[in-house]
Amino acid sequence: MGKIKLSRHGAVALLLSVLVVGLSAGGCSVVKRVERKTQTASHTVKLEGARAVEAEIEMGAGQLFVAGGAADLMEAELTYSNKAWRPRFDYDVQDGTGELTVSQDNKRGILVGADRTEWNLSLNDDVPLKLDIELGAGVSNLALGALNLEKLEVSGGAGKMIIDLTGTWDHDVDVDIDTGVGSLTLRLPEDFGVRIDVDLGIGKVNADGFTLDGGHYVNDTYADGKEILDINIDQGVGEVILELVK
């Protein structure tokens, strides 16, 4: 599967480019506002006998919502005003492992004026899943606690991100989060071991209920030595909020 990873410096460059475009529009340049009709669509991806799945979601800009509850592998509800931003779904099963990619043919540019892109994606709760989510700029709300996650990687350029991992876990899960500029809220189960390493360039960490242990944020349950959520956060500029949920 292809990668469009954004480094911290790349994310800052993305934000600066957005600001430059905005300033140009307010100066000598004239930006024509194009009104587009909003379209909606649905799409379903069948599991097709896969015993495990590796899924990659790549979104250039917009609003992304991901959760569990799908009867099939994925059920998608899509809203978009520019057909170039409608995603494509590629899925193949080899030797019992499904490989799913949800991506846009046009990953460049920014949403302007009346442009609207929103993906609501539901995933299967039961199939073992390695999930990679890449969002260039926008808002993402990822409610992933019901999924059978084995590994999670999330990257974002600029915007607001909420990741909810509250749920019942019976195995260790490795989580890597790499964001550029914005706000990251991470919701975690109080009764499951959690260890978090935060590398924040400019900003602050709000970690009520956590204790610093050797440079890691840990909750009280971590000391029990059972399965853990092992989380690495690398953020350039902004705020990291760690929330414990009963």
Side-chain angles (χ1 to χ4, degrees):
M1 300 183 201
K3 296 286 184 180
I4 43 175
K5 293 289 187 184
L6 284 173
S7 66
R8 181 185 302 170
H9 297 295
V12 173
L14 171 63
L15 181 63
L16 291 175
S17 67
V18 172
L19 292 174
V20 168
V21 170
L23 290 173
S24 297
C28 298
S29 301
V30 177
V31 175
K32 182 178 180 180
R33 181 185 177 93
V34 179
E35 297 289 345
R36 297 187 177 97
K37 181 179 180 181
T38 298
Q39 304 176 63
T40 60
S42 300
H43 189 87
T44 298
V45 180
K46 301 289 187 181
L47 193 57
E48 296 182 9
R51 299 185 297 275
V53 172
E54 299 176 2
E56 185 170 355
I57 300 169
E58 304 172 355
M59 187 180 203
Q63 297 184 42
L64 174 64
F65 302 88
V66 182
D72 295 292
L73 171 56
M74 174 178 280
E75 297 168 357
E77 296 294 331
L78 313 167
T79 301
Y80 53 94
S81 55
N82 185 342
K83 65 180 181 180
W85 292 88
R86 177 173 176 168
R88 57 179 293 173
F89 297 81
D90 297 302
Y91 183 60
D92 183 53
V93 180
Q94 296 289 338
D95 299 323
T97 299
E99 292 190 357
L100 170 65
T101 301
V102 183
S103 62
Q104 293 166 314
D105 290 330
N106 180 9
K107 301 183 183 71
R108 298 182 179 181
I110 58 174
L111 297 180
V112 178
D115 278 345
R116 179 184 175 191
T117 300
E118 182 178 306
W119 300 356
N120 286 272
L121 309 179
S122 299
L123 289 162
N124 187 281
D125 292 342
D126 299 320
V127 65
L129 178 66
K130 295 179 180 178
L131 181 59
D132 186 344
I133 297 175
E134 303 174 7
L135 177 64
V139 176
S140 56
N141 193 329
L142 315 176
L144 309 178
L147 303 178
N148 188 7
L149 281 177
E150 293 186 337
K151 184 175 179 59
L152 173 65
E153 296 183 15
V154 180
S155 60
K160 180 178 180 180
M161 182 179 295
I162 299 173
I163 303 176
D164 190 333
L165 295 175
T166 57
T168 302
W169 302 94
D170 59 5
H171 59 278
D172 293 353
V173 182
D174 291 330
V175 179
D176 289 312
I177 303 170
D178 187 348
T179 63
V181 180
S183 170
L184 168 65
T185 299
L186 191 58
R187 295 174 181 156
L188 301 156
E190 187 178 60
D191 56 356
F192 191 87
V194 176
R195 179 179 63 197
I196 307 171
D197 179 35
V198 180
D199 182 3
L200 177 61
I202 301 174
K204 64 178 181 178
V205 179
N206 186 334
D208 290 343
F210 287 87
T211 303
L212 271 175
D213 179 13
H216 301 279
Y217 292 94
V218 300
N219 63 347
D220 293 340
T221 312
Y222 172 73
D224 295 342
K226 297 180 180 179
E227 295 85 4
I228 63 168
L229 288 169
D230 193 357
I231 302 170
N232 290 298
I233 299 174
D234 188 352
Q235 177 154 323
V237 180
E239 183 179 23
V240 175
I241 303 170
L242 307 178
E243 297 181 354
L244 285 175
V245 179
K246 294 183 179 180

